[in-house]
Amino acid sequence: MSRRYWAKQLAEQGLVGIVLSQSPEYVAPHGATEPIFGTNPFAIGVPSEHGSVVVDMATSATSWFGLVEADRAGRTVPDDVGYDADGNPTTDPAAIYNGGAIRVFDRSYKGSNIALMIELLAGPLVGGAVQDKLGSRNWGNLMIALDPSIMGDPPAILHNVHLMLGRVKGARRAAGVEEIMLPGERGNRLAEQRLAAGKIKVPSSLLQGLKDMAARGAPKTAPQPSSTLPHPPITSIAPEAASISNTSPTVTSTLPGSLTSPSEGPPQTPQPSSNLSTSSSDITSISREPKASSSIYNSGSIPVVTSIAAGSGVGEGAQGMGVSSGRAVEKEHGSGGRAQPAASTSEAVPADITGLAAAHMHDSDTKLVACKVGEQQQQFEEEVQDVQQQEQQALQAQQGMSGGRHLATKLLHPPHSTQDPYEAVSPPLYQTATFGQPSATTNGPYDYTRSGNPTRTQLETQMADLEGADQAFAFASGMAALAAVLRLVGAGNGVVAGDDLYGGTSRLLAQVAPNLGIHVTNVDTTNIGAVEKALRAGHTKLLMLESPTNPRMQICDIATLTKMAHQVGALVVVDNSIMAPTFQQPLALGADISMTSATKFLNGHSDIMGGILSVKGPELAKKIYFTQNAEGAILSPFDCWLCLRGLKTMALRMETQARNCAILAQALSQHPLISKINYPGLPGTPGFELNASQASSGGSLFSFETGK
C-alpha cells in the first residue's frame, strides 16, 4: 500500500510522515445508506530510537477489493459491513459493491467524522473532485512531512516515542492474550517473513490477472497526466517474469540557491527479474534498491519527484514515455517507433501500473528525455532573466528618487543624526528611559524616551532619507502606525479603503473606526471609477491604499488615485510593507504618508515588531508626532537598533527573495492543481504593466488559488 510505504519512507528519514488517501464513493456516512465517502485510508509514520513505527488503517468496515474477493470466493460478509442498493443490511458482498454502500469501520459517527476529515484534507484541499469521483477519475492524496526539530529536541522526541511504544507493549494483558501488538506489527512481521523467504503466496487467479495485464501493456492512447503528485513505488511485471520492487520514484532535490538546477545523472528504471517458475503460484525474486546515502529532507531542499514509466515492449519499434518533474515527455524507441502520449495518472489503475509489460530504458532514450527537459529549463531561465533585467532597469530609473546613490549604498552608509564622540561605525544603542539636562532651566535635545531617543532618531532619519520624506516616525507595530494615521480623520468624517486589505487593517477599520465616529467605505481600488464615486468632498479625509494588496496581490494606480483624493481634500496613506522603499516609493508617486512594517523586510530577522510612517510636509509631521508622543506607541531603543542592523542588508535580501519568488511563481503557474497565481511580477497577470510603471519589482510574495 503506497500510503504505508511513503509514511515509512518519511519516518526512516527522521521525519513524521502523515499520508491521507481519498478514494471513490464506496462508503456511506453514519446514518446514511448512500455512498459519499471513499474507504479513505491513512497512515502515520513516526521515527523512534529503534526504527520507525507506522500506523495504517482505513476508515471503512471493509475494502472494496475485500468485497470483490469475498464475492469471487463465494463467501458472505458480516451483516453490519454494508447495505444493498435499497439501503438494507446485507451479507452479500456483490450487493454491497453493486449499487450499495460500505459502512464506516466503527459503525458510528466517530468513524464517519474521521472519514470526513480525510475527505476534506485529501479532496478539496488538493484539487480532488467532490462529486462523482469515480466518474471523473479524480481523487486526492495528501502527504505531510513534519520535521521533529521544529517541535523540540529530536533525540528527546525519538526517545519519548520509544518510551511510549514500550508502555503500550508492556501494558497488563487481558486473559488469553499472549502479546500486545502495536499497529502494523503483525503485518510487518509477515512482510519480513516473506522477504526472508523470497516469495509471496498469491491466489492463482490474481497471478493470472497480472500476467494478462502485463501482456496487454500500456494503453495505445491515453490522456496526459492530470497530477504531478508522487507515485507509489514502481512495480514492473512481465508475462515471463514477475518481481516486487519497493523502489520509490527517482527523487531529485532542488536547492534553494539553485531552484532550476537538475539533479546529476538521468533517472533509471529497475529491470524485471526473470526467475519465475510458471508452475508455481508464488511471485519470487524480491529485490530492493539501496537507500540513498544522504537525505533530501535533511538538506533543507525542495523535493521534486521524477519517475520513468516503462513502455509496452522492447527492441525495435517499442514505444515508451518518460515523466520528468511531473511533465510528460514523448520519446521514440528504435528506428521505426512512434512516440506515444503518457498514460494518465488519473485512471482507476495507478499510473505506475501502465508500464506492466517489461521494457528496457536504453541510454539513448534517457538522454533524449534529459535533452528535452534541458530545453524547457533553458527557455524558462531565459524568461526569468528577461524579467530580472526589466526589474533592474526600473530600479535604475528610481535612482533619481534617492539622490543618485544606489539604494544598497544608502542602506549601508546612512546619514548620521547623533553625535558620537567615538565615531562608532555602527550606531550606538541608547537603552535609557530618561536623560540628564544641562541645568535646571535648560533642556537638552532629549529628556524622556517616549518623546525622543537618539537611537530612534537615527532610524527615523534613515527611513526619511530612503522614502524621500520630510520626517519619519517609528512605532511599536505597523498597526500602531496606522492607528495614528486614523487619528487624523476625526469624528463625523470618512475613510475610503480597499476591499482586499491586511487582516489587522480590516479589523482596525471595521471595529475601531466606528467607535471613533469614523465612517469607512471599502471599494475595489483597482477600479478607478469605483474609488472616484466613493470619494466625497468635505467628508472623505483619508484614502487608505495597499499596492500590492494582501493577500490577492492586486495593483492599484497610486498616482492617479492620489490626485483624485487630493481633489476632494483627502490625505493618502499607502501601506508599502510588501514592497518597502527598496522596490516602491509611494511619496514619489504623490502619496502623503507611506507606512512600512518594520517587522518584515526592513528588519529582516523576525525578532522585532515595528511600523514606520514616512510623511511629506512639516505640518502633517507635527500632527503625527503629537499623536505618537501623546499615546506613546513608540518603538523601543533596542528594537530601533536591531532594525538599523537589518536595514544594512535589506537590498541584498529583497532582491534575492524577489528572484526566487519569480522562479517559484512561474513554476507553479504551470502546475495542474493551481488555477491562478497572484503575483504582479509574472508577465500576463493582471496589474503586471501597472506595477512595472510604479515599482521596480514584483516583490517576493505571491498567493495562489487551487481547484477549478
Side-chain angles (χ1 to χ4, degrees):
M1 292 175 285
S2 61
R3 65 186 178 278
R4 183 177 183 84
Y5 171 85
W6 286 115
K8 188 172 187 294
Q9 291 295 308
L10 291 172
E12 288 181 350
Q13 299 289 347
L15 303 172
V16 176
I18 304 173
V19 183
L20 310 175
S21 300
Q22 193 190 37
S23 62
E25 297 91 337
Y26 298 135
V27 181
H30 180 62
T33 60
E34 176 188 2
I36 301 295
F37 300 151
T39 54
N40 292 5
F42 64 92
I44 299 175
V46 182
S48 74
E49 287 182 329
H50 300 282
S52 59
V53 57
V54 179
V55 180
D56 176 36
M57 65 171 287
T59 57
S60 57
T62 186
S63 67
W64 185 86
F65 294 103
L67 294 174
V68 174
E69 182 181 356
D71 181 37
R72 291 180 177 177
R75 301 193 307 267
T76 60
V77 296
D79 59 6
D80 62 347
V81 166
Y83 305 104
D84 61 19
D86 296 325
N88 301 313
T90 179
T91 61
D92 181 3
I96 298 175
Y97 71 74
N98 285 322
I102 305 172
R103 298 183 66 180
V104 293
F105 72 94
D106 65 345
R107 288 75 164 172
S108 79
Y109 71 92
K110 294 181 180 179
S112 186
N113 289 350
I114 295 175
L116 177 58
M117 293 178 193
I118 297 174
E119 284 287 337
L120 295 174
L121 294 174
L125 190 65
V126 298
V130 295
Q131 292 185 345
D132 195 12
K133 292 177 285 185
L134 183 61
S136 62
R137 299 180 182 272
N138 180 15
W139 48 92
N141 294 274
L142 176 64
M143 184 185 304
I144 303 171
L146 300 177
D147 186 348
S149 65
I150 66 177
M151 295 178 284
D153 180 39
I157 292 174
L158 297 182
H159 179 66
N160 289 336
V161 170
H162 178 66
L163 291 179
M164 185 70 250
L165 297 176
R167 289 194 63 194
V168 174
K169 292 288 290 184
R172 185 171 59 249
R173 298 189 295 272
V177 176
E178 296 182 358
E179 182 184 4
I180 304 295
M181 303 291 285
L182 295 173
E185 192 171 11
R186 182 177 291 102
N188 289 342
R189 291 181 182 179
L190 182 60
E192 291 298 330
Q193 293 172 4
R194 296 291 185 261
L195 288 171
K199 59 177 63 177
I200 299 176
K201 293 184 178 296
V202 297
S204 299
S205 59
L206 175 59
L207 179 61
Q208 186 59 48
L210 292 173
K211 289 181 178 181
D212 294 342
M213 188 182 299
R216 290 194 298 270
K220 294 299 181 183
T221 58
Q224 292 285 343
S226 63
S227 173
T228 57
L229 293 175
H231 295 168
I234 298 175
T235 303
S236 184
I237 304 177
E240 60 278 294
S243 67
I244 295 180
S245 171
N246 64 353
T247 58
S248 64
T250 305
V251 178
T252 64
S253 63
T254 304
L255 299 177
S258 55
L259 290 171
T260 59
S261 299
S263 62
E264 295 182 3
Q268 301 293 328
T269 298
Q271 301 301 325
S273 172
S274 58
N275 58 346
L276 175 69
S277 172
T278 56
S279 61
S280 169
S281 61
D282 293 346
I283 296 180
T284 62
S285 182
I286 302 175
S287 61
R288 284 188 176 185
E289 286 282 325
K291 293 182 181 178
S293 58
S294 62
S295 167
I296 61 171
Y297 304 100
N298 294 335
S299 66
S301 58
I302 302 173
V304 179
V305 174
T306 304
S307 62
I308 300 294
S312 57
V314 295
E316 294 291 321
Q319 293 90 23
M321 53 77 63
V323 179
S324 180
S325 299
R327 296 183 181 179
V329 182
E330 297 180 355
K331 63 177 188 297
E332 298 181 0
H333 291 252
S335 58
R338 280 172 38 189
Q340 296 292 332
S344 172
T345 59
S346 62
E347 291 291 330
V349 178
D352 299 86
I353 303 179
T354 58
L356 282 170
H360 292 75
M361 294 291 293
H362 301 298
D363 289 342
S364 60
D365 305 327
T366 309
K367 291 176 182 177
L368 181 55
V369 175
C371 177
K372 291 192 175 183
V373 173
E375 292 174 358
Q376 295 174 353
Q377 181 164 312
Q378 181 180 359
Q379 180 181 359
F380 172 61
E381 289 178 345
E382 291 175 352
E383 293 174 355
V384 172
Q385 290 175 358
D386 289 342
V387 173
Q388 292 174 355
Q389 185 176 7
Q390 294 174 9
E391 292 177 352
Q392 186 63 29
Q393 292 173 350
L395 183 62
Q396 292 173 353
Q398 282 197 349
Q399 294 302 311
M401 301 178 187
S402 57
R405 284 198 299 166
H406 193 281
L407 181 67
T409 303
K410 298 186 70 173
L411 290 170
L412 193 59
H413 301 287
H416 290 286
S417 61
T418 58
Q419 295 180 355
D420 175 23
Y422 302 105
E423 298 293 333
V425 176
S426 177
L429 168 60
Y430 291 86
Q431 187 65 40
T432 182
T434 58
F435 298 82
Q437 302 303 311
S439 70
T441 59
T442 306
N443 293 327
Y446 301 98
D447 55 7
Y448 194 54
T449 283
R450 172 168 50 79
S451 301
N453 180 284
T455 308
R456 191 167 88 230
T457 300
Q458 178 68 38
L459 174 61
E460 292 172 340
T461 301
Q462 182 171 5
M463 284 303 302
D465 180 59
L466 293 173
E467 295 269 22
D470 290 297
Q471 199 166 345
F473 302 90
F475 287 80
S477 69
M479 293 314 305
L482 288 178
V485 174
L486 194 63
R487 294 290 189 185
L488 298 171
V489 177
N493 295 317
V495 174
V496 174
D499 59 0
D500 180 36
L501 297 171
Y502 172 63
T505 306
S506 296
R507 182 168 53 247
L508 177 71
L509 295 178
Q511 300 183 39
V512 177
N515 293 333
L516 300 176
I518 298 172
H519 179 264
V520 178
T521 303
N522 295 101
V523 297
D524 178 4
T525 53
T526 66
N527 185 335
I528 294 178
V531 177
E532 184 177 22
K533 184 178 179 180
L535 293 171
R536 294 166 51 192
H539 175 72
T540 304
K541 299 300 181 182
L542 181 68
L543 173 61
M544 187 174 288
L545 302 175
E546 290 183 10
S547 186
T549 62
N550 185 349
R552 288 186 287 169
M553 300 296 150
Q554 296 175 325
I555 303 300
C556 67
D557 190 335
I558 297 175
T560 299
L561 296 181
T562 296
K563 292 178 181 178
M564 292 168 47
H566 288 167
Q567 289 175 356
V568 298
L571 295 170
V572 177
V573 58
V574 177
D575 186 338
N576 198 38
S577 297
I578 291 179
M579 291 300 193
T582 309
F583 294 147
Q584 184 170 267
Q585 308 231 342
L587 301 187
L589 296 169
D592 302 287
I593 305 172
S594 174
M595 197 292 290
T596 307
S597 171
T599 311
K600 303 173 180 67
F601 294 115
L602 297 187
N603 177 54
H605 292 75
S606 300
D607 52 10
I608 74 163
M609 297 285 291
I612 308 292
L613 291 182
S614 300
V615 180
K616 283 199 310 186
E619 292 302 317
L620 182 57
K622 287 180 181 179
K623 294 179 181 179
I624 294 293
Y625 174 72
F626 178 84
T627 299
Q628 183 192 45
N629 185 42
E631 297 187 341
I634 52 96
L635 193 61
S636 73
F638 184 57
D639 286 345
C640 290
W641 184 82
L642 289 174
C643 190
L644 286 166
R645 172 209 58 181
L647 279 173
K648 293 183 181 297
T649 59
M650 182 171 68
L652 177 65
R653 288 186 281 104
M654 292 192 68
E655 290 167 5
T656 303
Q657 290 165 335
R659 284 195 295 271
N660 287 345
C661 184
I663 293 172
L664 288 173
Q666 175 66 30
L668 288 176
S669 68
Q670 308 299 320
H671 198 288
L673 297 181
I674 294 178
S675 59
K676 183 181 180 182
I677 293 286
N678 301 314
Y679 179 57
L682 193 63
T685 58
F688 172 77
E689 291 81 6
L690 177 57
N691 183 72
S693 70
Q694 63 189 23
S696 61
S697 171
S700 59
L701 294 177
F702 68 89
S703 61
F704 58 86
E705 301 172 18
T706 61
K708 298 180 179 179

